[in-house]
């Protein structure tokens, strides 16, 4: 697995852990607040019942009224137990349910109940009121909250995971491409260096080897320059200035003497190093692709045409969507296209390709 994919996987797993823990914490805090609120309400209702019991105790038909009251609570799925002076007056508590302390949450028939015990009086006049209310709806709401957070988390994970993947790919892939381009000249430099070290070579061979070393060193320097340009793009180190178009194309013509230039523009506003890198890449690709290359500049538009093999529709779509060619299909014609799009985008320009078998290939930069 490539290093950037391993880094992405590690970052994504860390993000998943943090996100899921955050959602779980939010859900738990919400449930805890709801539970505390409900327990306060249950305690208040138990206290209201205790006041009613206290008012009925000692009256002539108080016990009958309490039993009738207990039946009403029972029909509402609320279980109570009322005892006074050691005598049980009302008892609808389920058997086998143990209550710890004065307030507890107990389970009965698979559902949870809030149970509160209140006592008043002394000695033989102690009055005890037990109140037990179903709070299973809170746990159902918590389950719905968990499922909702889970769905939200999955959506966020998908969206942010995709964004993170694309960002890391955008960061690491150019570096991988540059590293691939560095390998070839370094291999050649090493090979000719070892060849010279052998000693048993003619002066002509030595001169040829030295010439190849100089050539590959120039290629290596060009690649490193491109890497530095990409670094400036990433860091936003861009300085705008007025560039003389005639001088710019004269410089390009020194690099590629065979190109034909038709210039009707005076100047371009942009970063000098990035603009040079842009035209150097585009012209380099055009020269490699065809035997005739024409540069036309007029009306804030620069066109670069070549008569080489036309670009197939699939490859043309890659180019116009700011995609690099797949390396197996690149045929060494698409190097630096992604970098060119970055430069064009940074300056607020537009760039697109057109290609046909009859008219050749043209790239237009609208400034």
């Amino acid at each position: 697995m490539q290093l950037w994919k391993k880094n992405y996987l590690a970052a994504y797993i860390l993000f998943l852990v943090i996100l899921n823990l955050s959602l779980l914490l939010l859900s738990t805090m919400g449930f805890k607040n709801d539970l505390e609120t409900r327990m306060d309400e249950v305690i208040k209702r138990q206290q209201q019942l205790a006041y009613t019991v206290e008012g009925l105790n000692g009256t002539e038909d108080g016990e009958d009224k309490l039993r009738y009251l207990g039946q009403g609570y029972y029909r509402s799925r609320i279980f109570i137990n009322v005892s006074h002076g050691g005598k049980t007056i009302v008892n609808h508590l389920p058997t086998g349910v143990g209550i710890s302390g004065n307030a507890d949450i107990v389970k009965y028939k698979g559902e949870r109940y809030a149970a509160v015990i209140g006592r008043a009086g002394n000695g033989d006049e102690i009055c005890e009121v037990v109140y037990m209310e179903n709070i299973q709806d809170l746990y159902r709401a918590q389950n719905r909250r968990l499922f909702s957070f889970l769905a939200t988390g999955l959506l966020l994970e998908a969206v942010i995971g995709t964004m993170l993947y694309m960002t890391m790919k955008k960061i690491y892939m150019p570096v991988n491409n540059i590293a691939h381009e560095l390998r070839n000249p370094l291999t050649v430099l090493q090979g000719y260096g070892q060849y010279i070290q052998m000693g048993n070579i003619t002066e002509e061979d030595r001169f040829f080897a030295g010439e190849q070393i100089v050539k590959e060193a120039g290629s290596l320097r060009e690649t490193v320059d491109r890497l530095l340009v990409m670094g400036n793009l990433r860091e936003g180190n861009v300085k705008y200035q007025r560039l003389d178009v005639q001088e710019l194309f004269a410089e390009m013509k020194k690099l590629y003497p065979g190109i034909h230039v038709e210039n009707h523009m005076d100047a371009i506003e942009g970063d000098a190093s990035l603009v040079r890198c842009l035209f150097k890449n585009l012209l380099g690709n055009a020269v490699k692709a065809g035997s005739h290359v024409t540069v036309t500049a007029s009306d804030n538009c620069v066109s670069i045409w070549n008569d080489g093999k036309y670009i197939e529709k699939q490859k043309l779509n890659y180019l116009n969507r700011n995609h690099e060619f797949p390396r197996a299909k690149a045929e060494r014609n698409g190097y630096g296209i992604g970098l060119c799009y970055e430069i064009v985008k940074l300056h607020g320009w537009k760039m697109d390709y057109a290609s046909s078998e009859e008219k050749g290939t043209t790239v237009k930069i609208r400034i």
Side-chain angles (χ1 to χ4, degrees):
M1 185 182 291
Q2 295 179 2
L3 178 61
W4 76 270
K5 290 185 177 180
K6 291 181 180 179
N7 291 339
Y8 161 74
L9 186 61
Y12 188 52
I13 291 174
L14 180 61
F15 163 71
L16 292 183
V17 171
I18 293 174
L19 177 62
N20 289 327
L21 287 177
S22 300
L23 293 176
L24 181 61
L25 180 61
L26 287 173
S27 177
T28 303
M29 290 175 61
F31 175 70
K32 183 179 179 182
N33 290 334
D34 292 344
L35 185 60
E36 289 177 353
T37 301
R38 178 62 72 85
M39 287 299 295
D40 290 340
E41 293 172 353
V42 170
I43 290 172
K44 288 179 181 178
R45 285 191 279 271
Q46 188 274 340
Q47 290 174 345
Q48 291 171 355
L49 175 61
Y51 293 145
T52 302
V53 171
E54 186 179 358
L56 292 175
N57 276 337
T59 61
E60 183 176 351
D61 57 348
E63 292 186 3
D64 291 335
K65 290 182 178 179
L66 286 175
R67 293 189 186 96
Y68 179 78
L69 185 67
Q71 288 294 332
Y73 276 104
Y74 183 73
R75 284 192 293 272
S76 299
R77 296 187 67 192
I78 296 174
F79 305 116
I80 67 172
N81 180 291
V82 179
S83 60
H84 182 257
K87 178 184 177 181
T88 299
I89 301 172
V90 179
N91 184 16
H92 292 300
L93 290 180
T95 57
V97 175
I99 303 173
S100 301
N102 295 326
D104 193 15
I105 296 175
V106 297
K107 289 189 72 173
Y108 173 62
K109 291 186 177 180
E111 297 191 337
R112 292 173 177 81
Y113 289 77
V116 180
I117 302 175
R119 297 180 180 87
N122 298 309
D124 294 338
E125 296 299 318
I126 290 179
C127 179
E128 182 181 84
V129 178
V130 182
Y131 183 93
M132 191 169 134
E133 180 180 314
N134 191 307
I135 59 170
Q136 188 62 33
D137 60 311
L138 274 180
Y139 290 86
R140 295 192 188 99
Q142 171 64 0
N143 289 336
R144 288 194 295 271
R145 182 188 287 118
L146 283 174
F147 282 122
S148 175
F149 280 6
L150 176 62
T152 303
L154 289 174
L155 181 60
L156 285 173
E157 289 163 9
V159 172
I160 297 178
T162 301
M163 293 173 61
L164 180 62
Y165 178 86
M166 296 306 295
T167 301
M168 295 193 74
K169 183 178 180 181
K170 188 175 181 181
I171 292 172
Y172 281 97
M173 287 304 287
V175 176
N176 290 343
N177 291 339
I178 291 291
H180 179 83
E181 297 297 327
L182 288 174
R183 186 179 296 113
N184 291 336
L186 287 174
T187 302
V188 173
L189 289 172
Q190 184 181 18
Y192 279 109
Q194 292 173 347
Y195 180 64
I196 292 174
Q197 285 180 335
M198 291 171 57
N200 297 325
I201 58 175
T202 65
E203 191 63 30
E204 183 180 353
D205 289 339
R206 191 186 305 276
F207 178 80
F208 175 77
E211 190 176 52
Q212 294 302 311
I213 289 175
V214 171
K215 178 182 176 182
E216 293 301 327
S219 174
L220 185 61
R221 180 176 178 177
E222 180 181 345
T223 304
V224 171
D225 287 342
R226 288 180 179 178
L227 183 59
L228 292 174
V229 168
M230 291 175 66
N232 288 338
L233 278 173
R234 303 298 179 197
E235 297 173 7
N237 297 330
V238 178
K239 296 180 180 179
Y240 285 85
Q241 61 190 83
R242 184 178 176 86
L243 300 174
D244 186 285
V245 177
Q246 193 68 31
E247 292 180 3
L248 175 64
F249 288 151
E251 182 181 339
M252 294 298 110
K253 198 165 178 60
K254 288 181 180 179
L255 293 173
Y256 306 105
I259 67 175
H260 176 68
V261 178
E262 297 178 6
N263 179 39
H264 304 285
M265 289 178 61
D266 294 329
I268 295 176
E269 294 287 337
D271 184 282
S273 61
L274 294 182
V275 172
R276 288 190 181 95
C277 180
L278 170 65
F279 286 107
K280 189 174 180 181
N281 272 281
L282 294 177
L283 286 169
N285 290 337
V287 169
K288 290 177 184 177
S291 57
H292 295 88
V293 176
T294 299
V295 182
T296 306
S298 62
D299 299 327
N300 294 324
C301 178
V302 179
S303 300
I304 300 175
W305 169 87
N306 74 79
D307 63 347
K309 181 181 177 182
Y310 78 99
I311 302 175
E312 298 172 1
K313 186 176 180 180
Q314 183 183 8
K315 293 182 180 180
L316 200 62
N317 288 336
Y318 272 104
L319 289 174
N320 286 328
R321 292 175 185 172
N322 188 11
H323 291 309
E324 292 280 357
F325 284 160
R327 185 165 293 278
K329 299 180 180 180
E331 300 172 1
R332 300 190 62 82
N333 292 330
Y335 181 79
I337 296 300
L339 180 60
C340 292
Y341 271 104
E342 290 286 342
I343 295 172
V344 167
K345 181 180 178 181
L346 184 66
H347 286 83
W349 303 339
K350 299 289 183 182
M351 184 173 78
D352 57 76
Y353 279 80
S355 185
S356 68
E357 194 168 2
E358 299 81 14
K359 297 181 180 180
T361 300
T362 303
V363 56
K364 290 186 178 181
I365 305 163
R366 294 175 175 84
I367 299 172

